[in-house]
Amino acid sequence: MKVLVVGGAGYIGSHMAKLLVDSGHSVVVLDNFSTGHRDAVPCNEVIEGDLGDRDLLDEIFSGRQFDGVIHFASYIQVGESIEKPDRYYRNNVANTLTLLEAMHERGAENLIFSSSAAVFGEPEYVPIDERHPKNPVNPYGASKLMVERMLADIDRAYGLRSVSLRYFNAAGADPDGLLGERHDPPIHLIPVLLQAASGRCQTVKIFGHDYDTPDGTCIRDYVHVVDLCKAHLLALTYLRQSGKTDAFNLGNGVGFSVREVIDTARRVTGQAITVDHTPRRPGDPARLVADASRAREVLGWIPQYTSLDRIVEDAWRWELRQPRLW
Ligand code: UFG
């Protein structure tokens, strides 16, 4: 296949580009490098540019025939989305609309969209299946839900089919050790813990220990980045075999508390990792756990790296390859 990976220099996008290349596919990456890293792109053709640049998209689609487009380019920080919602609606929604218009007008087919568990908001029940009500509680989640809605309408009107994949907590790193999560500063729990273990940062703050969970800390469903990428490949095959526009939840169906993740990180790294208790972070639901049975049944998705130890081990191997500050 020839695949356009939009946002292919970011955390999940770069793992996707590597999986495609390793599986013998041809990959073109489009990225504006606002948060992605140029040296993280494991493919030959890299186009630097913005998703909102319609002329550039026209040029990309008129010169090439793609079997599918995988779209990762979005801002992902919940807190920032509350402070600067316009940034999120511009980048995540309006720019995606530009991509859809260009795809439709140039006859490009088969879009896989990175959605998020954030479309559900505060869970009414767990594990969360696809029927769960969608009531996002921040602009980030709202921007993802708006795109899902646009995708359904665009398919009804023009027949451009797509799959939205709602990630729960993406984590881990390339088992070959070549890629990993490189948000600077780190924004997700596992990289924060591993940077503390390696000495790149000091104390880790636990955001709230008075939740209604067995140990009082939030419970999340951590899913290995490579398993997520494999779901995209399966979704692309599904669309190419005339699958209909749909959305699937992606997680392992097992929740771990922040405290359990800290214990795992201490065990895997052999480091003490100092933690501090701080008040709750606004907008954190107590529990987010996926029911991913539909992805299994419809796409044939069988996650391989399901143990939290394995996820943390792969992320730790990557962390140890990062430049030290001393
Ligand atoms: N946490 C800490 N300390 C930290 C970082 C995180 O205690 O330094 C806690 C959070 O409060 C949360 C858990 O660890 O309870 C996981 O937090 P992350 O920031 O790693 O991930 P989130 O669950 O907040 O976010 C993830 C995705 C978002 C998505 C969201 C769905 O990264 O893109 O799930 O609600 F929107």
Side-chain angles (χ1 to χ4, degrees), residues 76 78 116-118 140 168-169 187-189 192 204-207 218 220 222 258 281 284 288:
I76 60 161
V78 170
S116 167
Y140 167 69
F168 279 64
N169 285 62
I187 50 181
H188 292 128
L189 179 62
V192 167
V204 176
K205 293 176 180 152
I206 299 183
F207 299 141
C218 289
R220 293 289 181 272
Y222 296 89
V258 170
R281 188 172 66 174
D284 274 342
L288 282 175

Side-chain angles (χ1 to χ4, degrees), residues 46-83:
V46 182
I47 301 169
E48 178 165 4
D50 213 84
L51 191 57
D53 182 345
R54 179 59 199 271
D55 292 340
L56 175 64
L57 291 177
D58 283 345
E59 193 188 310
I60 291 171
F61 286 115
S62 59
R64 302 166 186 80
Q65 187 86 36
F66 294 105
D67 297 293
V69 176
I70 310 185
H71 172 25
F72 294 97
S74 77
Y75 295 144
I76 60 161
Q77 297 194 42
V78 170
E80 184 189 57
S81 82
I82 296 167
E83 286 158 24

